[in-house]
Amino acid sequence: MTNYLAVERALRTAAPHALVDAVRAALAEHYGATDIELLMADYSLTVLQPVDAPQRPAGPLPVAGSPEGRAFDSQKLYERPAPDGDSVALYLPVTVRGDRLGILTMRLPRLRRTTGAVQDLTRIAELLGHEVIVAERDTDLYLRARRVSRLTLAAEMQWQLLPGRACSRREYAIGAQLEPAYAIHGDNFDWSTTADTLTLTVTNGMGEGIEASLLTNLAVNALRNARRAGIGIADQAALADQALYAQYRGASYVSTLLLTFELATGNVQVVDAGSPQLWRRRGKTVERVDLEAQLPLGMFDETEYTVQEFQVLPGDRLVFVSDGVYAAGNRAGEAYGERALARAIQAAGLLHAASVPRAVLQALAEHRDAEPEDDALVVCLDWFGDKGGPEG
């Protein structure tokens, strides 16, 4: 415990840009660790990139097929003997409340590899994740490590607008992903939780480039402004509708699903204002949840929205997709379609919620066989309810 507290103190007092240097020095001193490296997952979740690139001249590591990627996908410590025979290589997930940031790697002398030391190092990796999130307010270092190429300006705006790519607590786990990760336009997701509720929004913005990003930015912030005033989702939709109409007079609008989950009961209130689809996997059955479609936000002045209700049960998986998924076509002009989407959701049945969006988008990419013409958004929510679920 004394060693852990010393490393914790070093991280808490390090400058925002110096977290990796601080953890290297502290782990070397207190645990005898060497070859310490922090790898960040890129925006597409396909590679892991070192924060300080000179440490790895070969460049980023693929998530698929690497020991680092194995730890990242499983979200469990992975270890194997190091080539020198006198140490073990450790790969530790760096994750904050279910949001997978990357991997902390190191070599640990065999004589120092105890159960207590591994428990300490696992906690240190999580602590490092928290410190990275705080440090990103003051430095671009960790955000730069997440990209293998330059983001478009619209994509930069969209990623900065998002709450994260995953979130988990006792009652639920959420995972989300957008593609093309480096050139997204207007699709978006957002969530917020209290002691009693989870509010989730899925937005399918129209248009391309900066115009689409600006439109979605206004819509999301209007919804957040209304949500933070403590009003229900029908009024949240109405106020966002007014803000968008005042700005665009109906020429531009956004399609949005707004949902509020009651954590104790699984009761869900929903406003369907447009095109994002909701799918449910319950047991071995995958089916689309039909909702009463209402007008997109900003299409007409002073639209009134009504709330529908349905129930989620422990073990349910909800998957939300934008039209860039279910309406995506291939070179032959064939739409992806509901049957293919249902198969992709079923095939991902054993994956954690945070891994489902990437799996569905990979299945979509195989169908599409061409560059995407529209944003593709997938959000997965696993509902555990009062039974509770695995820790994120």
Side-chain angles (χ1 to χ4, degrees):
M1 180 58 72
T2 301
N3 288 336
Y4 172 81
L5 292 175
V7 178
E8 180 184 35
R9 186 162 49 250
L11 280 172
R12 300 285 192 199
T13 57
H17 65 277
L19 292 178
V20 178
D21 290 338
V23 81
R24 279 199 184 108
L27 290 178
E29 177 181 354
H30 298 284
Y31 293 90
T34 60
D35 297 341
I36 299 157
E37 192 169 47
L38 173 61
L39 302 167
M40 303 292 290
D42 86 312
Y43 287 100
S44 68
L45 295 174
T46 58
V47 300
L48 294 161
Q49 178 127 307
V51 169
D52 40 4
Q55 295 291 324
R56 184 181 290 279
L61 286 168
V63 169
S66 67
E68 293 86 351
R70 177 173 175 173
F72 182 79
D73 275 339
S74 69
Q75 286 295 285
K76 295 179 180 178
L77 164 72
Y78 177 61
E79 61 179 289
R80 64 179 185 176
D84 60 17
D86 296 324
S87 60
V88 292
L90 300 182
Y91 307 90
L92 298 137
V94 177
T95 301
V96 179
R97 295 192 177 94
D99 196 6
R100 305 174 177 197
L101 304 184
I103 292 292
L104 179 65
T105 70
M106 68 190 73
R107 289 190 186 184
L108 197 66
R110 284 190 177 276
L111 295 178
R112 303 289 293 271
R113 194 262 177 242
T114 65
T115 299
V118 170
Q119 289 175 344
D120 284 356
L121 294 170
T122 300
R123 293 173 61 202
I124 287 166
E126 182 178 353
L127 172 63
L128 177 60
H130 282 272
E131 292 301 314
V132 165
I133 294 296
V134 174
E136 285 181 347
R137 299 181 306 180
D138 302 308
T139 178
D140 288 336
L141 180 66
Y142 309 101
L143 292 172
R144 289 173 62 187
R146 297 185 189 194
R147 57 193 73 188
V148 293
S149 61
R150 185 175 178 179
L151 296 175
T152 64
L153 179 54
E156 187 82 50
M157 294 168 66
Q158 286 295 77
W159 283 110
Q160 290 299 305
L161 189 62
L162 298 172
R165 283 186 295 206
C167 177
S168 64
R169 56 180 281 182
R170 182 177 180 275
E171 297 87 354
Y172 62 82
I174 303 173
Q177 180 62 11
L178 289 164
E179 292 290 348
Y182 289 81
I184 55 174
H185 303 138
D187 287 3
N188 185 274
F189 52 84
D190 195 23
W191 56 70
S192 179
T193 187
T194 69
D196 303 315
T197 64
L198 165 70
T199 300
L200 173 68
T201 61
V202 182
T203 300
N204 187 175
M206 67 178 293
E208 298 181 355
I210 292 295
E211 292 302 319
S213 184
L214 288 171
L215 173 65
T216 301
N217 210 294
L218 177 58
V220 170
N221 278 292
L223 288 167
R224 287 175 176 171
N225 180 253
R227 184 186 72 219
R228 291 165 185 169
I231 61 179
I233 57 171
D235 290 330
Q236 291 174 31
L239 289 175
D241 173 71
Q242 291 173 22
L244 289 168
Y245 188 82
Q247 182 67 29
Y248 294 100
R249 312 305 295 180
S252 295
Y253 46 85
V254 297
S255 300
T256 304
L257 274 175
L258 299 91
L259 305 100
T260 296
F261 296 78
E262 191 174 84
L263 301 182
T265 66
N267 185 63
V268 186
Q269 293 189 327
V270 57
V271 171
D272 180 356
S275 66
Q277 288 186 358
L278 168 58
W279 288 73
R280 179 178 59 214
R281 182 179 187 268
R282 177 173 288 172
K284 296 183 179 180
T285 302
V286 176
E287 60 186 353
R288 183 179 171 189
V289 178
D290 290 321
L291 300 169
E292 180 186 345
Q294 301 175 67
L295 293 173
L297 304 181
M299 180 174 280
F300 296 105
D301 192 17
E302 297 186 355
T303 303
E304 293 187 6
Y305 293 92
T306 58
V307 171
Q308 295 177 256
E309 295 190 7
F310 67 93
Q311 195 80 15
V312 285
L313 304 177
D316 280 357
R317 166 168 287 175
L318 303 182
V319 178
F320 307 84
V321 295
S322 67
D323 61 2
V325 176
Y326 64 80
N330 60 14
R331 289 173 179 167
E334 300 168 336
Y336 190 51
E338 295 193 350
R339 297 176 72 177
L341 179 55
R343 285 196 300 270
I345 294 172
Q346 191 73 272
L350 296 179
L351 298 179
H352 187 280
S355 298
V356 171
R358 185 155 57 101
V360 172
L361 288 168
Q362 286 174 340
L364 172 65
E366 293 171 4
H367 162 83
R368 192 169 49 211
D369 68 17
E371 288 299 314
E373 297 181 357
D374 193 9
D375 291 353
L377 174 153
V378 179
V379 178
C380 175
L381 185 148
D382 283 349
W383 185 258
F384 311 125
D386 284 338
K387 292 183 178 180
E391 294 296 324

